[in-house]
Amino acid sequence: MVEGAVRMDNVSTAAIGGNTRIEGVMAAISERIAARSLVPGARLPSVRSFARTMQVSVSTVVEAYERLAAEGVIRSRPGSGFYVCGPLAPLSLSETGARSGRNVDPLWISRQSLEVGDDALKPGCGWLPPSWLPQAALRKAMRTLARGDIGVLANYGTPLGLPPLRQLLARRLGEHGITVSPDQILLTESGTQAIDLLCRFLLEPGDTVLVDDPCYFNFHALLRAHRAKVVSVPFTPTGPDVELFGHVLERHKPRLYITNSAIHNPTGATLSPVTAHRLLKLADAAGLTIIEDDIFADFEDVPAPRLAAYDGLDRVIHIGSFSKTLSASVRCGFIAARRDWIDGLIDLKVASSFSCGQLSAELVYLALKDGSYRKHVEALRVRLAKAMAEVPARLEAIGITPWLKPHAGMFLWCRLPEGLDAADLARACLAEGVILAPGNVFSLSDTAGRFMRFNVAQSTDPRIFEALEASMRKLR
């Protein structure tokens, strides 16, 4: 053995307990580092000697060393060998879990839901469980891309976005009565990026934007980032209160209105045709532009009215994505807008993100054109309908009542018993590992203190209702 290297003759082949021999070699070294048999700065055995010790091939050890070096556990010194890296700063356990001390603001739910592990209970989050998504279709699409043109894996996409996907989207929008050409569709990294680009394009700091009350909480956070003045109008089971909508337009002169017209977040309500027509008439008279966020489109059995269909993409901009029905990891959204706005939006997109994620767009295209996606969506609607029937009954049994019974989708907007505050309940349940969505994060006017949004797809675990009931008793 070369002088200075650490002996590891006492490592047995039983240490190779990983899924592969490479992982077993990595585990053996990591265990020695954790036990301080290998201290920071210590030199590892040569590849050949360690291969003999572990009774594996030299190539196995080479690959294990390379992976550990990529992870920052060890480092290579050319001509000298591999050495243990210095210790990392200790990780506090408080950094790995949800933080309960943060104020319950519009980003509270997102931060809590995204920062915890998959084992946490998340009835307040806004997405489906991974097991509800089309894993087989995604894996098939990834295998196809891996075998295909290297340009898809390595190159930037075009500024407007993948042409076949835009053509497919144009046909899908046509099914909802929205007549649009593929060159009127701009692909984005997500639905959130679509709204961000439109805010950059349409707003100046200080401009007024109208939202529903309640509405998706990230609208508040995003508009705040754009330094917009935000005003709201109460939302009813058939859409915004049209009379109050007109008063807000007259008084505040907003430049923009952002809404969900199909399945509303958080209430689960759908826009009625009468409300849609009256809304567009008011918008036209006031010169108001509308962003219609339609990311829940595929959850519907019977399509609700689309403002963009009635308006012909004149004052209405239609956006969407596939994070809810396909994958939140595959970031791909779109904007459908009038032709004379697309060029300016492309310039903003190039300036802010340079290009579209071509790999994500190709994945979405392959998954959507596969016949299995339609079957997945049909099965998903049935599964959501079942949960939408079961979860309200379990909530009502402990005194939490739905505001309405949605026709489709995954959200229930519920009222808590008298005397309970949703933010207090959310904090209490967070201590039990249950992440909730208290009403006032959705309400600009802070008038939803007794309301809570539940995601029925994430609310099937009995522990959720046990935590709710116990926390409610404590708070009373």
Side-chain angles (χ1 to χ4, degrees):
M1 176 178 287
V2 178
E3 185 178 355
V6 175
R7 291 185 61 85
M8 297 185 68
D9 296 339
N10 59 342
V11 178
S12 70
T13 54
I16 305 181
N19 295 328
T20 69
R21 290 181 177 274
I22 294 169
E23 291 170 350
V25 173
M26 293 172 66
I29 296 170
S30 297
E31 287 168 9
R32 291 299 182 202
I33 293 172
R36 300 192 68 78
S37 296
L38 286 171
V39 297
R43 182 182 173 190
L44 270 67
S46 71
V47 168
R48 291 188 182 280
S49 67
F50 197 41
R52 287 194 299 270
T53 299
M54 298 294 289
Q55 300 178 22
V56 296
S57 68
V58 169
S59 62
T60 295
V61 177
V62 168
E63 181 63 22
Y65 279 17
E66 291 294 343
R67 291 190 189 180
L68 287 168
E71 292 176 5
V73 176
I74 64 176
R75 66 179 183 277
S76 171
R77 293 181 185 172
S80 178
F82 288 87
Y83 294 79
V84 179
C85 290
L88 295 174
L91 178 64
S92 168
L93 290 178
S94 64
E95 295 174 359
T96 63
R99 290 188 287 272
S100 58
R102 180 189 175 104
N103 288 335
V104 181
D105 60 23
L107 291 173
W108 187 88
I109 305 166
S110 296
R111 291 288 301 270
Q112 306 295 356
S113 299
L114 292 169
E115 290 174 359
V116 298
D118 290 337
D119 57 339
L121 301 172
K122 297 181 275 194
C125 80
W127 52 86
L128 296 175
S131 61
W132 289 43
L133 297 172
Q135 299 175 35
L138 286 170
R139 293 182 192 280
K140 179 181 177 182
M142 287 190 283
R143 287 194 299 270
T144 301
L145 290 178
R147 294 192 298 263
D149 185 355
I150 185 61
V152 173
L153 302 178
N155 286 337
Y156 290 110
T158 61
L160 199 56
L162 185 68
L165 179 55
R166 290 187 286 108
Q167 291 168 1
L168 187 148
L169 289 173
R171 290 195 296 271
R172 286 170 57 89
L173 291 174
E175 295 173 3
H176 292 285
I178 303 171
T179 303
V180 60
S181 168
D183 61 5
Q184 289 178 262
I185 298 175
L186 172 69
L187 299 187
T188 62
E189 297 292 341
S190 64
T192 300
Q193 193 205 27
I195 297 176
D196 182 51
L197 281 175
L198 290 166
C199 287
R200 293 172 189 265
F201 183 68
L202 296 168
L203 298 177
E204 296 290 340
D207 283 347
T208 300
V209 179
L210 176 60
V211 297
D212 301 319
D213 198 341
C215 75
Y216 174 41
F217 51 78
N218 211 43
F219 291 168
H220 297 164
L222 190 55
L223 291 169
R224 193 173 299 154
H226 282 281
R227 301 182 184 178
K229 177 185 176 184
V230 188
V231 295
S232 64
V233 62
F235 202 79
T236 77
T238 59
D241 185 310
V242 178
E243 184 176 351
L244 291 177
F245 193 93
H247 291 323
V248 171
L249 294 186
E250 185 177 345
R251 180 179 177 185
H252 295 283
K253 306 289 191 296
R255 293 198 59 182
L256 195 61
Y257 170 50
I258 306 179
T259 189
N260 310 113
S261 61
I263 299 174
H264 186 257
N265 183 6
T267 66
T270 53
L271 186 70
S272 74
V274 172
T275 301
H277 282 292
R278 294 179 66 190
L279 199 66
L280 288 171
K281 188 175 180 181
L282 289 168
D284 187 59
L288 179 71
T289 300
I290 300 174
I291 297 176
E292 180 177 50
D293 184 356
D294 197 22
I295 62 171
F296 305 108
D298 283 346
F299 288 148
E300 289 183 295
D301 282 313
V302 180
R306 268 31 176 209
L307 294 170
Y310 291 152
D311 172 74
L313 291 178
D314 181 21
R315 294 202 170 278
V316 178
I317 303 166
H318 194 82
I319 70 169
S321 79
F322 299 93
S323 61
K324 306 305 179 186
T325 54
L326 187 60
S327 169
S329 250
V330 182
R331 308 301 289 158
C332 184
F334 66 89
I335 297 171
R338 41 195 274 190
R339 293 178 189 274
D340 57 325
W341 285 356
I342 291 295
D343 198 52
L345 287 167
I346 289 175
D347 284 348
L348 273 175
K349 178 183 167 186
V350 170
S352 59
S353 62
F354 195 72
S355 174
C356 216
Q358 182 169 226
L359 187 59
S360 291
E362 291 277 3
L363 270 172
V364 168
Y365 174 64
L366 289 173
L368 291 182
K369 77 169 188 174
D370 190 315
S372 66
Y373 180 75
R374 189 175 295 274
K375 294 177 182 177
H376 155 69
V377 168
E378 290 171 354
L380 183 58
R381 291 170 185 161
V382 172
R383 197 170 185 179
L384 281 170
K386 184 173 182 290
M388 192 63 79
E390 294 174 353
V391 172
R394 301 183 77 170
L395 289 170
E396 288 175 332
I398 58 175
I400 300 174
T401 56
W403 181 65
L404 59 76
K405 178 66 182 298
H407 298 298
M410 57 184 169
F411 294 136
L412 270 178
W413 185 238
C414 296
R415 184 181 286 105
L416 300 179
E418 188 74 39
L420 283 179
D421 178 77
D424 291 340
L425 181 59
R427 290 192 189 95
C429 285
L430 184 61
E432 303 300 320
V434 177
I435 297 171
L436 298 174
N440 271 344
V441 301
F442 302 92
S443 173
L444 189 70
S445 62
D446 286 335
T447 55
R450 278 186 58 206
F451 283 84
M452 191 81 76
R453 187 194 72 180
F454 288 92
N455 177 346
V456 296
Q458 298 274 7
S459 300
T460 58
D461 193 306
R463 292 175 295 171
I464 293 170
F465 305 97
E466 292 167 6
L468 279 167
E469 191 169 18
S471 297
M472 288 163 62
R473 277 199 306 269
K474 289 178 185 177
L475 290 173
R476 285 193 182 107

